[in-house]
Amino acid sequence: MSLISIERIYLLIGLIVMYLVWHTLKDKAHPKRLTTALFWGLFGSLFLFGDLAVTWLGEQLAHRIAGAMVIVIALLAGMGKVSAGSYTPRSDAQKQQSARALGNKVFVPALLIPLFTVAATLLLSDVSTGELMLFDPKHQTLAALTLACTLALIAGWRLTGDSPLKAVAESRRLVDSIGWAAILPQMLAMLGGVFVVAQTGDSIKALVSLFVDPNNRFALVAIYCIGMALFTMVMGNAFAAFPVMTAGIALPFLIEQHGASPAPLMAIGMYSGYCGTLMTPMAANFNIVPAALLDLDDKYQVIKVQIPTALTLLATNILLMYFIVFD
Amino acid sequence: MPGEFATYWMNAAMLEQLLQLNYWPLIGIPVVVLGFALRFNPLLVVTVAGLITGWAVNMDMFALLETFGDKFLSSRQLASFLLILPVIALLERHGLKEHAQNWIATVKGVTTRGILSLYFVVREVSAALGLLSLGGHAQTVRPLLSPMAEAAATNQYGPLPKPVRDNIAAHAAACDNVALFFGEDIFIAFGAVLLMDAFLKENGIAGIEPLHIGLWAIPTALAALVIHLFRLSRLEARIRRDIARHQQANQHPNQQEVPSSGQVADTPASSQTAGSDL
């Protein structure tokens, strides 16, 4: 048992999303009020009722219902039925006035989130009373982040006089501007799951292996590194690519046949995968969500900025691996 | 027929193998690439790619729905940034962005490059020490790093055109990603290092400790630092050039079609980076 368990964090996220849905429904000037509310309502209920449904209906039925809801979510977004609403932002002059009145104190809640999360992960992870842990042992960072956000909301309340509920209502502007991108990371995790069941990885491995020349060390290194990057771009995650490519190419050809040193081979191989992560919209939480968070006109601009670094590093990795692993 | 395709890099046997591969599990990849390229809504593209892949490998419809639901529910922690947004929204309402910009204006000689480079180094070093949650797009980049980097440019050049502002913001996000990715694997308790360690043990390769893997992550981490700091060093010139180009375009509203890269090359800022594309 833990006080801040992952289930409770999901409930909290569900409550926040549902509070936003309620405000969307009240927003009479919203151009797509009902369908936007349905979109976020379905999303929020997967957080509020997901774990309860598994307990009550059994895993199989609950997962099927959740899967059907996900398809409805995708259809609503795909048909353009989800949009931003109307908000009452404060004027620039009012914000400047607040900024002058609060001074550097306005930084305090913002800095509290990262600093407290790190400190709490390091110091509070083992705190417990009897059987009850403070943080979910499997999700310590997330539990620490949740606590940090709560404290920051309280600090913000004391500082500005706006209550946490007001803050959540205010975040509708941000959540709406992120829109469908907020859900994309989970959708991609879902596609990754289908790829695992369909054994897409084995097909990629078979395809890449065809180009292997077992006696050409440099070509082997290049294929392993480029294969890691490509596979990661498809799956959006280097962890999914690593076991398949390493077992398929690195282990039989580089380690067993050419006697390559495993530690640098794997470290650099994994980093080659990360070069792929920088170049793919499939890694939405790193590449697409920030584009939405930062109000960029081009949702692929973060990727475009990262590509030169990623390609240069990939080439560097190939050379590094070639000159390091065979000693 | 296959013999006619045979070249020094692809012989007949290889072509035969290529033709015999099972391509059905791969069908989701072109669906995703095409769907993104044609700018369909990504949620729809990804869902359709999942449905088609499942159909192509003869998955039962209910089993497919079950995989969808299972994976969606078990990846809910990816939405945890929603917890951060209320605080950020509240502070933005009370002038967080404005104050970050005013504050940067009081620091002498600070540049966009300087702010992003400093953040990059701090982020990569702290990630290498395992302090992964010190940064992040919702908690650090949007409320603090991006406004400060923009403000430094505004101090130097005046109000920024939207494309210049977007480019700086995208660089702020890229700094966070690159520094995090290439710092974290040095930290031996990080998931990737443990995954590699488990893989080695599973495959019967003994005598490698997580420490060795972490150590061999350092050369790439240093390369990432050098490469990305070099790119940031050219960002300043790029901002100058883009602003000069924007101003010139605005001064001659009737000659919008004329200013191409060649036309602008005589401005002092652009001559330093002619042809570069950061």
Side-chain angles (χ1 to χ4, degrees), chain B residues 96-125:
Chain B
L96 175 64
K97 225 173 214 176
E98 286 73 12
H99 185 68
Q101 292 174 339
N102 295 345
W103 184 70
I104 283 297
T106 65
V107 186
K108 284 265 180 300
V110 67
T111 59
T112 305
R113 171 201 178 181
I115 290 172
L116 293 181
S117 303
L118 178 67
Y119 182 83
F120 187 94
V121 173
V122 171
R123 180 75 161 136
E124 188 170 6
V125 170

mmCIF file of all heavy atoms in Angstrom, chain B residues 96-125:
data_model
loop_
_atom_site.group_PDB
_atom_site.id
_atom_site.type_symbol
_atom_site.label_atom_id
_atom_site.label_comp_id
_atom_site.label_asym_id
_atom_site.label_seq_id
_atom_site.Cartn_x
_atom_site.Cartn_y
_atom_site.Cartn_z
ATOM 1 N N LEU B 96 4.066 35.374 -15.038
ATOM 2 C CA LEU B 96 5.319 34.616 -14.990
ATOM 3 C C LEU B 96 6.194 34.899 -16.217
ATOM 4 O O LEU B 96 7.381 35.194 -16.097
ATOM 5 C CB LEU B 96 5.013 33.116 -14.901
ATOM 6 C CG LEU B 96 6.218 32.175 -14.961
ATOM 7 C CD1 LEU B 96 7.131 32.377 -13.776
ATOM 8 C CD2 LEU B 96 5.778 30.715 -15.017
ATOM 9 N N LYS B 97 5.572 34.825 -17.390
ATOM 10 C CA LYS B 97 6.317 35.043 -18.623
ATOM 11 C C LYS B 97 6.884 36.467 -18.659
ATOM 12 O O LYS B 97 8.063 36.672 -18.963
ATOM 13 C CB LYS B 97 5.367 34.863 -19.815
ATOM 14 C CG LYS B 97 5.943 34.036 -20.924
ATOM 15 C CD LYS B 97 4.872 33.768 -21.972
ATOM 16 C CE LYS B 97 5.095 32.401 -22.576
ATOM 17 N NZ LYS B 97 4.052 32.028 -23.514
ATOM 18 N N GLU B 98 6.023 37.423 -18.326
ATOM 19 C CA GLU B 98 6.443 38.819 -18.349
ATOM 20 C C GLU B 98 7.603 39.040 -17.386
ATOM 21 O O GLU B 98 8.568 39.732 -17.702
ATOM 22 C CB GLU B 98 5.264 39.736 -17.981
ATOM 23 C CG GLU B 98 4.207 39.887 -19.074
ATOM 24 C CD GLU B 98 3.341 38.648 -19.265
ATOM 25 O OE1 GLU B 98 3.390 37.729 -18.409
ATOM 26 O OE2 GLU B 98 2.612 38.574 -20.274
ATOM 27 N N HIS B 99 7.497 38.438 -16.180
ATOM 28 C CA HIS B 99 8.563 38.651 -15.215
ATOM 29 C C HIS B 99 9.864 37.990 -15.669
ATOM 30 O O HIS B 99 10.944 38.566 -15.503
ATOM 31 C CB HIS B 99 8.171 38.135 -13.833
ATOM 32 C CG HIS B 99 9.208 38.455 -12.800
ATOM 33 N ND1 HIS B 99 9.464 39.750 -12.381
ATOM 34 C CD2 HIS B 99 10.111 37.688 -12.155
ATOM 35 C CE1 HIS B 99 10.448 39.747 -11.513
ATOM 36 N NE2 HIS B 99 10.865 38.510 -11.356
ATOM 37 N N ALA B 100 9.758 36.792 -16.238
ATOM 38 C CA ALA B 100 10.958 36.119 -16.747
ATOM 39 C C ALA B 100 11.643 37.005 -17.781
ATOM 40 O O ALA B 100 12.874 37.134 -17.801
ATOM 41 C CB ALA B 100 10.589 34.768 -17.349
ATOM 42 N N GLN B 101 10.825 37.665 -18.621
ATOM 43 C CA GLN B 101 11.394 38.519 -19.662
ATOM 44 C C GLN B 101 11.977 39.803 -19.075
ATOM 45 O O GLN B 101 13.084 40.215 -19.439
ATOM 46 C CB GLN B 101 10.314 38.818 -20.713
ATOM 47 C CG GLN B 101 9.963 37.542 -21.471
ATOM 48 C CD GLN B 101 8.817 37.688 -22.435
ATOM 49 O OE1 GLN B 101 8.001 38.586 -22.319
ATOM 50 N NE2 GLN B 101 8.750 36.781 -23.405
ATOM 51 N N ASN B 102 11.250 40.408 -18.104
ATOM 52 C CA ASN B 102 11.789 41.613 -17.451
ATOM 53 C C ASN B 102 13.106 41.308 -16.749
ATOM 54 O O ASN B 102 14.041 42.105 -16.763
ATOM 55 C CB ASN B 102 10.791 42.142 -16.400
ATOM 56 C CG ASN B 102 9.499 42.611 -17.027
ATOM 57 O OD1 ASN B 102 9.429 42.810 -18.234
ATOM 58 N ND2 ASN B 102 8.464 42.768 -16.208
ATOM 59 N N TRP B 103 13.128 40.129 -16.123
ATOM 60 C CA TRP B 103 14.305 39.755 -15.338
ATOM 61 C C TRP B 103 15.519 39.582 -16.250
ATOM 62 O O TRP B 103 16.613 40.059 -15.948
ATOM 63 C CB TRP B 103 13.998 38.461 -14.587
ATOM 64 C CG TRP B 103 15.088 38.019 -13.677
ATOM 65 C CD1 TRP B 103 15.465 38.619 -12.505
ATOM 66 C CD2 TRP B 103 15.943 36.892 -13.856
ATOM 67 N NE1 TRP B 103 16.506 37.924 -11.944
ATOM 68 C CE2 TRP B 103 16.816 36.868 -12.745
ATOM 69 C CE3 TRP B 103 16.051 35.905 -14.832
ATOM 70 C CZ2 TRP B 103 17.793 35.871 -12.603
ATOM 71 C CZ3 TRP B 103 17.015 34.926 -14.687
ATOM 72 C CH2 TRP B 103 17.876 34.913 -13.584
ATOM 73 N N ILE B 104 15.312 38.918 -17.390
ATOM 74 C CA ILE B 104 16.416 38.731 -18.333
ATOM 75 C C ILE B 104 16.918 40.089 -18.831
ATOM 76 O O ILE B 104 18.119 40.298 -19.027
ATOM 77 C CB ILE B 104 15.954 37.861 -19.519
ATOM 78 C CG1 ILE B 104 15.896 36.394 -19.099
ATOM 79 C CG2 ILE B 104 16.876 37.993 -20.724
ATOM 80 C CD1 ILE B 104 17.235 35.810 -18.695
ATOM 81 N N ALA B 105 15.964 41.048 -18.984
ATOM 82 C CA ALA B 105 16.349 42.366 -19.493
ATOM 83 C C ALA B 105 17.318 43.080 -18.559
ATOM 84 O O ALA B 105 18.095 43.935 -18.986
ATOM 85 C CB ALA B 105 15.104 43.226 -19.712
ATOM 86 N N THR B 106 17.300 42.713 -17.271
ATOM 87 C CA THR B 106 18.196 43.385 -16.332
ATOM 88 C C THR B 106 19.586 42.776 -16.311
ATOM 89 O O THR B 106 20.508 43.337 -15.732
ATOM 90 C CB THR B 106 17.631 43.318 -14.892
ATOM 91 O OG1 THR B 106 17.609 41.939 -14.490
ATOM 92 C CG2 THR B 106 16.230 43.893 -14.818
ATOM 93 N N VAL B 107 19.745 41.583 -16.919
ATOM 94 C CA VAL B 107 21.056 40.931 -16.907
ATOM 95 C C VAL B 107 21.834 41.391 -18.130
ATOM 96 O O VAL B 107 21.391 41.197 -19.265
ATOM 97 C CB VAL B 107 20.900 39.392 -16.909
ATOM 98 C CG1 VAL B 107 22.260 38.727 -16.749
ATOM 99 C CG2 VAL B 107 19.970 38.946 -15.805
ATOM 100 N N LYS B 108 22.990 41.990 -17.886
ATOM 101 C CA LYS B 108 23.766 42.564 -18.994
ATOM 102 C C LYS B 108 24.418 41.486 -19.861
ATOM 103 O O LYS B 108 24.910 40.494 -19.341
ATOM 104 C CB LYS B 108 24.877 43.454 -18.435
ATOM 105 C CG LYS B 108 24.391 44.819 -17.932
ATOM 106 C CD LYS B 108 24.547 45.880 -19.022
ATOM 107 C CE LYS B 108 24.079 47.242 -18.565
ATOM 108 N NZ LYS B 108 22.650 47.266 -18.176
ATOM 109 N N GLY B 109 24.361 41.697 -21.162
ATOM 110 C CA GLY B 109 25.135 40.866 -22.085
ATOM 111 C C GLY B 109 24.621 39.446 -22.256
ATOM 112 O O GLY B 109 25.317 38.601 -22.809
ATOM 113 N N VAL B 110 23.410 39.168 -21.800
ATOM 114 C CA VAL B 110 22.909 37.801 -21.936
ATOM 115 C C VAL B 110 22.316 37.609 -23.338
ATOM 116 O O VAL B 110 21.658 38.496 -23.874
ATOM 117 C CB VAL B 110 21.881 37.487 -20.831
ATOM 118 C CG1 VAL B 110 20.634 38.297 -21.004
ATOM 119 C CG2 VAL B 110 21.566 36.009 -20.793
ATOM 120 N N THR B 111 22.643 36.464 -23.951
ATOM 121 C CA THR B 111 22.168 36.182 -25.305
ATOM 122 C C THR B 111 21.331 34.916 -25.304
ATOM 123 O O THR B 111 21.387 34.117 -24.364
ATOM 124 C CB THR B 111 23.348 35.957 -26.268
ATOM 125 O OG1 THR B 111 24.106 34.851 -25.764
ATOM 126 C CG2 THR B 111 24.228 37.182 -26.379
ATOM 127 N N THR B 112 20.561 34.728 -26.373
ATOM 128 C CA THR B 112 19.792 33.493 -26.542
ATOM 129 C C THR B 112 20.724 32.288 -26.492
ATOM 130 O O THR B 112 20.471 31.305 -25.800
ATOM 131 C CB THR B 112 19.051 33.522 -27.896
ATOM 132 O OG1 THR B 112 18.260 34.700 -27.948
ATOM 133 C CG2 THR B 112 18.173 32.311 -28.073
ATOM 134 N N ARG B 113 21.832 32.399 -27.224
ATOM 135 C CA ARG B 113 22.804 31.314 -27.245
ATOM 136 C C ARG B 113 23.319 31.018 -25.831
ATOM 137 O O ARG B 113 23.444 29.864 -25.427
ATOM 138 C CB ARG B 113 23.966 31.712 -28.151
ATOM 139 C CG ARG B 113 25.112 30.749 -28.078
ATOM 140 C CD ARG B 113 26.391 31.409 -28.543
ATOM 141 N NE ARG B 113 27.499 30.484 -28.416
ATOM 142 C CZ ARG B 113 28.747 30.789 -28.719
ATOM 143 N NH1 ARG B 113 29.048 31.981 -29.178
ATOM 144 N NH2 ARG B 113 29.691 29.891 -28.566
ATOM 145 N N GLY B 114 23.599 32.086 -25.077
ATOM 146 C CA GLY B 114 24.140 31.912 -23.727
ATOM 147 C C GLY B 114 23.159 31.171 -22.831
ATOM 148 O O GLY B 114 23.537 30.221 -22.125
ATOM 149 N N ILE B 115 21.899 31.581 -22.867
ATOM 150 C CA ILE B 115 20.886 30.953 -22.008
ATOM 151 C C ILE B 115 20.703 29.484 -22.381
ATOM 152 O O ILE B 115 20.724 28.595 -21.522
ATOM 153 C CB ILE B 115 19.543 31.702 -22.139
ATOM 154 C CG1 ILE B 115 19.662 33.074 -21.492
ATOM 155 C CG2 ILE B 115 18.415 30.908 -21.503
ATOM 156 C CD1 ILE B 115 18.464 33.963 -21.727
ATOM 157 N N LEU B 116 20.554 29.225 -23.693
ATOM 158 C CA LEU B 116 20.311 27.840 -24.117
ATOM 159 C C LEU B 116 21.535 26.965 -23.848
ATOM 160 O O LEU B 116 21.398 25.815 -23.426
ATOM 161 C CB LEU B 116 19.929 27.802 -25.603
ATOM 162 C CG LEU B 116 18.577 28.433 -25.961
ATOM 163 C CD1 LEU B 116 18.297 28.325 -27.452
ATOM 164 C CD2 LEU B 116 17.443 27.784 -25.174
ATOM 165 N N SER B 117 22.735 27.504 -24.058
ATOM 166 C CA SER B 117 23.947 26.709 -23.822
ATOM 167 C C SER B 117 24.081 26.369 -22.342
ATOM 168 O O SER B 117 24.402 25.233 -21.978
ATOM 169 C CB SER B 117 25.196 27.465 -24.287
ATOM 170 O OG SER B 117 25.081 27.804 -25.643
ATOM 171 N N LEU B 118 23.835 27.371 -21.486
ATOM 172 C CA LEU B 118 23.936 27.129 -20.046
ATOM 173 C C LEU B 118 22.924 26.061 -19.627
ATOM 174 O O LEU B 118 23.256 25.122 -18.892
ATOM 175 C CB LEU B 118 23.678 28.436 -19.281
ATOM 176 C CG LEU B 118 23.713 28.313 -17.755
ATOM 177 C CD1 LEU B 118 25.126 27.973 -17.289
ATOM 178 C CD2 LEU B 118 23.230 29.608 -17.091
ATOM 179 N N TYR B 119 21.685 26.202 -20.121
ATOM 180 C CA TYR B 119 20.657 25.216 -19.779
ATOM 181 C C TYR B 119 21.066 23.828 -20.253
ATOM 182 O O TYR B 119 20.930 22.842 -19.537
ATOM 183 C CB TYR B 119 19.309 25.614 -20.404
ATOM 184 C CG TYR B 119 18.193 24.646 -20.048
ATOM 185 C CD1 TYR B 119 17.514 24.760 -18.849
ATOM 186 C CD2 TYR B 119 17.843 23.615 -20.917
ATOM 187 C CE1 TYR B 119 16.501 23.881 -18.510
ATOM 188 C CE2 TYR B 119 16.822 22.725 -20.586
ATOM 189 C CZ TYR B 119 16.162 22.867 -19.382
ATOM 190 O OH TYR B 119 15.169 21.988 -19.061
ATOM 191 N N PHE B 120 21.608 23.764 -21.480
ATOM 192 C CA PHE B 120 22.003 22.470 -22.045
ATOM 193 C C PHE B 120 23.022 21.770 -21.148
ATOM 194 O O PHE B 120 22.882 20.595 -20.822
ATOM 195 C CB PHE B 120 22.581 22.674 -23.456
ATOM 196 C CG PHE B 120 22.853 21.392 -24.182
ATOM 197 C CD1 PHE B 120 21.898 20.854 -25.033
ATOM 198 C CD2 PHE B 120 24.033 20.702 -24.008
ATOM 199 C CE1 PHE B 120 22.126 19.661 -25.699
ATOM 200 C CE2 PHE B 120 24.273 19.501 -24.664
ATOM 201 C CZ PHE B 120 23.314 18.992 -25.508
ATOM 202 N N VAL B 121 24.060 22.529 -20.750
ATOM 203 C CA VAL B 121 25.123 21.923 -19.934
ATOM 204 C C VAL B 121 24.566 21.470 -18.585
ATOM 205 O O VAL B 121 24.800 20.331 -18.148
ATOM 206 C CB VAL B 121 26.284 22.925 -19.751
ATOM 207 C CG1 VAL B 121 27.305 22.367 -18.780
ATOM 208 C CG2 VAL B 121 26.921 23.238 -21.094
ATOM 209 N N VAL B 122 23.775 22.348 -17.940
ATOM 210 C CA VAL B 122 23.228 21.994 -16.626
ATOM 211 C C VAL B 122 22.320 20.774 -16.749
ATOM 212 O O VAL B 122 22.375 19.836 -15.946
ATOM 213 C CB VAL B 122 22.443 23.184 -16.031
ATOM 214 C CG1 VAL B 122 21.685 22.766 -14.774
ATOM 215 C CG2 VAL B 122 23.387 24.327 -15.726
ATOM 216 N N ARG B 123 21.495 20.742 -17.797
ATOM 217 C CA ARG B 123 20.549 19.642 -17.984
ATOM 218 C C ARG B 123 21.278 18.330 -18.256
ATOM 219 O O ARG B 123 20.916 17.294 -17.712
ATOM 220 C CB ARG B 123 19.601 19.982 -19.152
ATOM 221 C CG ARG B 123 18.559 18.928 -19.479
ATOM 222 C CD ARG B 123 17.447 18.925 -18.472
ATOM 223 N NE ARG B 123 16.254 18.258 -18.977
ATOM 224 C CZ ARG B 123 15.533 17.390 -18.262
ATOM 225 N NH1 ARG B 123 15.881 17.109 -17.033
ATOM 226 N NH2 ARG B 123 14.448 16.843 -18.766
ATOM 227 N N GLU B 124 22.328 18.364 -19.089
ATOM 228 C CA GLU B 124 23.010 17.115 -19.407
ATOM 229 C C GLU B 124 23.776 16.593 -18.188
ATOM 230 O O GLU B 124 23.735 15.398 -17.887
ATOM 231 C CB GLU B 124 23.965 17.289 -20.601
ATOM 232 C CG GLU B 124 24.521 15.944 -21.060
ATOM 233 C CD GLU B 124 25.286 15.987 -22.379
ATOM 234 O OE1 GLU B 124 25.512 17.077 -22.919
ATOM 235 O OE2 GLU B 124 25.664 14.891 -22.848
ATOM 236 N N VAL B 125 24.448 17.498 -17.474
ATOM 237 C CA VAL B 125 25.210 17.061 -16.296
ATOM 238 C C VAL B 125 24.266 16.532 -15.225
ATOM 239 O O VAL B 125 24.510 15.477 -14.627
ATOM 240 C CB VAL B 125 26.076 18.223 -15.750
ATOM 241 C CG1 VAL B 125 26.682 17.859 -14.401
ATOM 242 C CG2 VAL B 125 27.168 18.570 -16.755
#
